[in-house]
Amino acid sequence: MSTSVAIAVITFRRPELLKALLDSLQAQELPADSDFAVRIVVVDNDAAGSAAEVIAASTGPYQVESAIEPEPGIPFAREKSVQLCWDDDALIFVDDDEVAPEGWLATLLGAWESTGADVVTGPIQGILPPDAPAWNRYSDVHDSTGKHKTGDVLNKAYTNNTLVAQKVYHQVTPAFHPAFRFTGSSDLHFFLRVHQAGFRIVWCEEARITEDVPASRTTLRWLVRRAFRSGSGDSISRVLIRPGLASMVKALAYALARIGSAFVYGLAGLVLVRKTYLLKAVRRFFSGIGSLAGIVGINHDEYRERHHTDGGDAVPRDLAAGAGAGSAELADPGRPPVADHPDARLP
């Protein structure tokens, strides 16, 4: 029997970007002797189903299936994709603003076969707009190529270019926590739990995927906010996984270390005239500040505006709302989790 693989995409009102991604996925070729049965699964997080036309127009060698997740928020759309891929041997997470270069799929699947890893993840290469401020060329915030070597074992991953074996999402369930509804980091939280459960996460440098960086993400203001949000999401993730004083102390130590290293990089950047060091200093400083904020549950709702143009109040099961918070719906409601993870409930 062939090995079934689903490419999981979540989307929200970005039809042009989604079309470019689907076109690039349909252009992927596998070796003639390949034993993989690949399909594409798209979850539209717009209750109005605005992606329907783009999805219906996608043609090629791979079947495209879709569903609507009306509950607003990234974790709910991601959890829906896991539900739809529950019976597949593996699923591959990609973002709707990415484009898969020629050979990407074959490379990623080949790495999974050759390494026997439970999770295989690869780099993202951002394509900057022509008028992007110069500092973007000295920062790795939009480019993760070269950060690791093929075969390196990691302790975390993200859902922008990652293959996950079935046994992983069958055991670490529910996968995505609603605490991160509009803040991001639900994928970090999931993969930290995956690593903690003993699964092996391996890097594949050759499985590169690209994304066009919008002008809105080339400003220093965005860089600062993203660094804050990333640091906060890290602390919140770790405290949710292991609630208690020990986790808070570790998160505090990590935050202070980030802030301290920021001053070191800043000084080195000034002395050696290294712009890359200065940008690392900015990112590490605000990441450290975010880590401090995350210890007490403060995060930046980066994606709220896209779902609630008026800013909105805290919605049910937001981290800010607190009361009534719970885990995202189980991937298979008929199956209880293997373990009652403490992170399945908000403190």
Side-chain angles (χ1 to χ4, degrees):
M1 293 179 64
S2 60
T3 301
S4 62
V5 176
I7 302 176
V9 183
I10 66 170
T11 190
F12 180 76
R13 297 180 185 174
R14 300 204 284 194
E16 295 85 3
L17 294 174
L18 177 62
K19 180 181 184 305
L21 170 63
L22 293 178
D23 287 348
S24 73
L25 294 179
Q26 293 287 13
Q28 296 296 308
E29 296 182 357
L30 296 176
D33 59 351
S34 171
D35 193 33
F36 291 104
V38 177
R39 66 192 181 108
I40 301 169
V41 175
V42 182
V43 175
D44 188 355
N45 203 201
D46 182 5
S50 57
E53 185 175 345
V54 172
I55 295 170
S58 180
T59 59
Y62 308 118
Q63 178 184 359
V64 181
E65 301 176 21
S66 64
I68 293 175
E69 175 48 65
E71 186 72 26
I74 293 171
F76 298 97
R78 282 185 178 146
E79 195 69 32
K80 173 73 80 174
S81 70
V82 173
Q83 292 175 9
L84 296 173
C85 303
W86 191 256
D87 293 326
D88 288 288
D89 296 307
L91 66 84
I92 300 172
F93 289 110
V94 294
D95 288 345
D96 66 348
D97 58 351
E98 296 174 336
V99 171
E102 180 181 353
W104 164 80
L105 180 59
T107 301
L108 191 63
L109 292 173
W112 182 40
E113 281 188 312
S114 63
T115 64
D118 305 303
V119 176
V120 180
T121 187
I124 309 299
Q125 183 176 36
I127 308 301
L128 296 170
D131 57 348
W135 67 261
N136 285 268
R137 297 194 298 272
Y138 302 101
S139 173
D140 60 358
V141 67
H142 298 302
D143 192 342
S144 57
T145 59
K147 287 189 174 182
H148 307 284
K149 294 180 180 179
T150 294
D152 283 354
V153 178
L154 310 180
N155 61 8
K156 61 184 178 182
Y158 302 92
T159 53
N160 47 18
N161 180 17
T162 301
L163 179 149
V164 184
Q166 182 192 73
K167 59 183 176 181
V168 175
Y169 52 86
H170 275 195
Q171 179 170 330
V172 185
T173 181
F176 301 105
H177 202 299
F180 305 97
R181 179 191 289 262
F182 296 130
T183 63
S185 295
S186 63
D187 53 350
L188 170 64
H189 177 251
F190 169 62
F191 284 111
L192 287 174
R193 291 162 56 209
V194 167
H195 173 70
Q196 184 186 67
F199 293 109
R200 190 161 62 102
I201 304 172
V202 169
W203 182 263
C204 179
E205 178 69 17
E206 295 76 21
R208 174 183 59 89
I209 205 166
T210 67
E211 67 175 7
D212 285 327
V213 180
S216 61
R217 294 189 177 189
T218 63
T219 66
L220 284 173
R221 183 170 182 264
W222 177 87
L223 177 70
V224 167
R225 288 189 169 191
R226 173 55 65 94
F228 179 92
R229 194 265 283 175
S230 297
S232 180
D234 185 271
S235 287
I236 292 172
S237 295
R238 295 178 189 277
V239 172
L240 282 175
I241 291 172
R242 289 187 181 276
L245 181 60
S247 288
M248 291 185 177
V249 170
K250 287 182 179 179
L252 175 61
Y254 176 80
L256 294 177
R258 296 288 287 183
I259 294 172
S261 67
F263 285 105
V264 173
Y265 270 108
L267 180 60
L270 292 173
V271 172
L272 302 175
V273 194
R274 294 279 186 90
K275 295 179 180 179
T276 54
Y277 286 1
L278 293 174
L279 285 166
K280 279 185 179 292
V282 172
R283 287 182 63 191
R284 287 186 174 232
F285 177 79
F286 286 101
S287 173
I289 296 298
S291 294
L292 290 175
I295 295 172
V296 293
I298 298 174
N299 205 340
H300 168 50
D301 288 351
E302 182 173 350
Y303 302 108
R304 181 184 292 276
E305 293 179 3
R306 297 191 62 217
H307 289 274
H308 297 286
T309 54
D310 60 353
D313 296 324
V315 293
R317 295 199 285 184
D318 254 357
L319 184 63
S327 60
E329 184 179 355
L330 286 178
D332 182 355
R335 301 186 187 203
V338 171
D340 182 19
H341 298 293
D343 59 303
R345 301 175 301 279
L346 285 175

